[in-house]
Amino acid sequence: MSNIGSMVLQMLKNEISEVDYKRYIKQLHYNEEDSKSNLAIFHAPNPLIANWIQTKYAHKISHLFEIKTGVKPTVTVCVKTGNIPLTATSAPTTPVQSEKVPHTLLNPSYTFQNFVVGGSNNFAYVASKSVSEKPGIVYNPLFIYGGVGLGKTHLMQAVGNVMLAQGKTVIYTSVEQFLNDFSRHLSNRTMDRFKDKYRKCDLLLIDDIQFLSGKNQIQEEFFHTFEALRNENKQIIITSDKHPKKIGGLEERLKSRFEWGLVADIQPPELETKIEIIKKKCEINRVKLDKEVINYVATIIENNTREIEGILSKLNAYSQLMGVDINIEFARNVLKEQLTEKRNNITIDTIMEIVSKELNVKSSEIRSKSRNSNIVYARRIAIYLSRNLTPNSMPQLAHYFGMKDHTAVSHTMKKIQEIMKNDEDFKIKVDELSNKISAITSQ
Ligand code: ADP
Ligand code: MG
């Protein structure tokens, strides 16, 4: 595999049906020469295929680039005719149709059915669901905010997918796309078309609105778009990484309008929700993982749920390559790198701090020789987590915890593994703490 484009397509292969891959994706060629880190260009043999892939998979392809490179590019699928690449979206059979069907790029798998509901996201889920049932009536705008990878885009697009299926006009856009569109129409003197497009849709989804910060001209334009849509009772959904009040460099009139409808937050998922999300992603991507591997993956991912798909395709790709099933040893091996990176950020002191706070036992007690059962319980967990989450060797751990030598550590590790096998509550507690520690140290 020579370039990033083909690597991404290879990853995509593991996530989609074989028929889709063979019939469409396989015919794509990555244009390495003209692509940039924020723009990935692919060539398709004809407009039909280009259009189809653009609509169905551009978002996913972009997502996979992000997993590989850390940058989420705009994906353009074009038909190469001489030197002029004809983009799929600008090559409709009739121009009229293209104006009617705006560039939505909704990910078809971002549906309510595919969204796992837990305490951390229940509020945002219920709000989105209500909006999809009564758009423009219940909460307008709906403003969803929360950290990266917590499902904001998924939820807003789920509403989009519902309305799209009802034949409504849905526009999904980022601030950047909105701005580009605006500049293009401004310089082409076609602002009326811009207005038509954004002010006449049934649902406008604007993702990551925090990027409006400091961009005055586009804030003005967005304000008028917002007003026009709201006056017509057309639904607007906005996402952001923070509460409207906390977005700096934003006009007050916009901030206040963002709070007119409903502001819903999404919190990092609890362990059980993470487990359910992994199960769901396995189902969608047709990856088979047993319970042990699922629990393991849940404890190594941080709050960013986006990591899950990357991990699943990595596991799947390796297992296909090696021709073996994915069991826990295999998963540990494949994901070793991922863990090593994290391990280097975690220290025993951090673990001690969290364990002592969560279990209400002093650090000095954990390091003492006390046989009090609460203290022994906390000490075991601290040793186990230190061994698993930090790069410290057994002799180093023995020294830290005031134990005789490395065999004492090894004995404790065995003992804990045994308890974990028989005591589900204990295991959940250990996983939960491990999760907390990873989350804190990854911030
Ligand atoms: P955000 O926009 O908040 O950064 P995304 O919506 O892009 O996050 O979500 C990142 C990934 O995690 C997506 O693949 C999404 O489907 C998945 N995801 C996040 N939360 C959930 C959930 N509760 N149920 C199912 N998938 C989820
Ligand atoms: Mg998002």
Side-chain angles (χ1 to χ4, degrees):
M1 239 172 282
S2 55
N3 59 46
I4 177 77
S6 11
M7 275 193 262
V8 163
L9 293 184
Q10 203 59 31
M11 281 164 82
L12 184 67
K13 184 180 177 184
N14 296 319
E15 301 203 19
I16 64 177
S17 77
E18 209 178 316
V19 176
D20 273 6
Y21 182 81
K22 285 202 173 134
R23 200 170 288 166
Y24 304 103
I25 304 294
K26 220 175 151 193
Q27 308 201 49
L28 278 187
H29 287 281
Y30 181 58
N31 178 343
E32 198 170 12
E33 212 177 289
D34 298 327
S35 293
K36 298 182 215 112
S37 66
N38 61 357
L39 174 72
I41 304 172
F42 288 91
H43 291 158
N46 62 52
L48 259 182
I49 292 187
N51 231 331
W52 191 88
I53 295 175
Q54 182 81 46
T55 317
K56 190 158 177 200
Y57 285 120
H59 195 73
K60 196 150 191 124
I61 293 173
S62 163
H63 188 167
L64 292 173
F65 265 94
E66 190 187 21
I67 289 165
K68 272 267 166 231
T69 65
V71 179
K72 196 168 190 169
T74 303
V75 170
T76 306
V77 185
C78 22
V79 182
K80 207 173 184 187
T81 47
N83 286 330
I84 312 152
L86 198 60
T87 68
T89 41
S90 62
T93 31
T94 60
V96 185
Q97 219 178 355
S98 95
E99 286 298 312
K100 257 200 197 154
V101 186
H103 190 62
T104 66
L105 284 186
L106 291 188
N107 183 331
S109 79
Y110 286 179
T111 59
F112 285 116
Q113 291 95 304
N114 287 344
F115 192 82
V116 174
V117 187
S120 55
N121 56 34
N122 189 37
F123 187 52
Y125 171 85
V126 172
S128 309
K129 200 86 206 315
S130 316
V131 164
S132 76
E133 282 153 14
K134 291 196 170 104
I137 298 171
V138 276
Y139 311 119
N140 204 9
L142 170 63
F143 190 102
I144 305 173
Y145 77 97
V148 177
L150 300 186
K152 302 182 294 295
T153 302
H154 186 136
L155 269 184
M156 73 160 22
Q157 291 205 3
V159 181
N161 278 317
V162 168
M163 290 185 60
L164 209 58
Q166 294 164 348
K168 301 277 172 49
T169 318
V170 177
I171 297 184
Y172 167 77
T173 183
S174 61
V175 169
E176 195 192 354
Q177 244 176 41
F178 185 75
L179 180 63
N180 287 346
D181 231 13
F182 173 73
S183 313
R184 188 164 52 85
H185 283 290
L186 195 65
S187 63
N188 291 348
R189 295 167 195 265
T190 49
M191 275 310 286
D192 45 339
R193 278 172 60 193
F194 176 86
K195 286 180 184 158
D196 255 16
K197 175 177 168 183
Y198 286 99
R199 298 183 192 183
K200 295 219 167 114
C201 62
D202 299 302
L203 171 66
L204 177 63
L205 307 171
I206 300 238
D207 214 352
D208 293 314
I209 199 89
Q210 70 271 16
F211 293 119
L212 265 188
S213 165
K215 300 189 176 91
N216 297 343
Q217 192 185 11
I218 201 67
Q219 283 186 27
E220 168 87 27
E221 188 53 41
F222 183 67
F223 174 78
H224 295 300
T225 306
F226 185 100
E227 290 287 275
L229 285 170
R230 252 198 64 115
N231 287 339
E232 295 283 317
N233 288 335
K234 300 299 172 79
Q235 181 69 44
I236 304 157
I237 306 181
I238 300 166
T239 70
S240 165
D241 64 347
K242 23 181 133 46
H243 190 280
K245 279 199 180 66
K246 301 249 170 75
I247 307 176
L250 196 63
E251 288 179 19
E252 281 307 317
R253 56 178 183 171
L254 275 178
K255 279 193 191 180
S256 67
R257 273 164 183 76
F258 289 169
E259 292 188 64
W260 273 0
L262 183 78
V263 178
D265 68 326
I266 304 190
Q267 293 296 322
E270 311 80 5
L271 188 65
E272 310 85 80
T273 311
K274 272 190 203 175
I275 291 175
E276 289 310 312
I277 296 176
I278 297 171
K279 285 187 187 156
K280 188 59 98 180
K281 291 285 175 195
C282 284
E283 194 187 301
I284 298 168
N285 296 313
R286 293 189 205 89
V287 176
K288 270 193 82 168
L289 295 186
D290 61 32
K291 201 173 151 209
E292 208 179 355
V293 178
I294 291 177
N295 288 349
Y296 173 69
V297 173
T299 55
I300 70 165
I301 54 165
E302 290 156 9
N303 291 330
N304 184 346
T305 323
R306 225 171 259 176
E307 274 185 272
I308 296 174
E309 276 171 334
I311 289 181
L312 293 189
S313 50
K314 198 166 176 180
L315 287 177
N316 214 20
Y318 272 74
S319 111
Q320 283 189 2
L321 208 69
M322 318 283 279
V324 293
D325 283 346
I326 304 168
N327 60 25
I328 186 76
E329 278 84 51
F330 180 83
R332 275 188 212 277
N333 251 328
V334 172
L335 302 174
K336 213 161 37 195
E337 244 173 73
Q338 208 126 358
L339 265 185
T340 324
E341 268 172 37
K342 283 186 193 168
R343 275 173 167 221
N344 292 333
N345 296 326
I346 303 175
T347 64
I348 308 183
D349 287 337
T350 318
I351 292 175
M352 290 288 276
E353 199 184 308
I354 293 169
V355 171
S356 73
K357 191 167 138 221
E358 295 286 323
L359 302 180
N360 216 1
V361 174
K362 287 195 192 106
S363 285
S364 56
E365 289 173 330
I366 296 179
R367 294 175 77 173
S368 74
K369 298 221 167 5
S370 164
R371 299 307 304 159
N372 170 298
S373 65
N374 282 344
I375 299 175
V376 171
Y377 179 81
R379 184 180 306 132
R380 282 184 174 151
I381 294 183
I383 295 173
Y384 181 81
L385 293 176
S386 301
R387 177 68 185 145
N388 278 327
L389 301 176
T390 75
N392 288 286
S393 64
M394 295 231 211
Q396 282 168 324
L397 293 177
H399 178 74
Y400 188 95
F401 288 98
M403 297 162 93
K404 210 168 116 225
D405 54 17
H406 73 275
T407 49
V409 177
S410 150
H411 178 75
T412 307
M413 291 297 291
K414 278 205 191 103
K415 178 94 203 155
I416 297 169
Q417 269 152 3
E418 220 178 279
I419 302 175
M420 298 238 291
K421 258 193 206 143
N422 304 318
D423 184 346
E424 185 82 359
D425 284 348
F426 179 82
K427 188 179 174 330
I428 288 175
K429 189 79 212 165
V430 171
D431 286 344
E432 208 182 287
L433 284 167
S434 157
N435 207 33
K436 272 212 169 91
I437 292 161
S438 308
I440 287 172
T441 48
S442 66
Q443 278 167 5

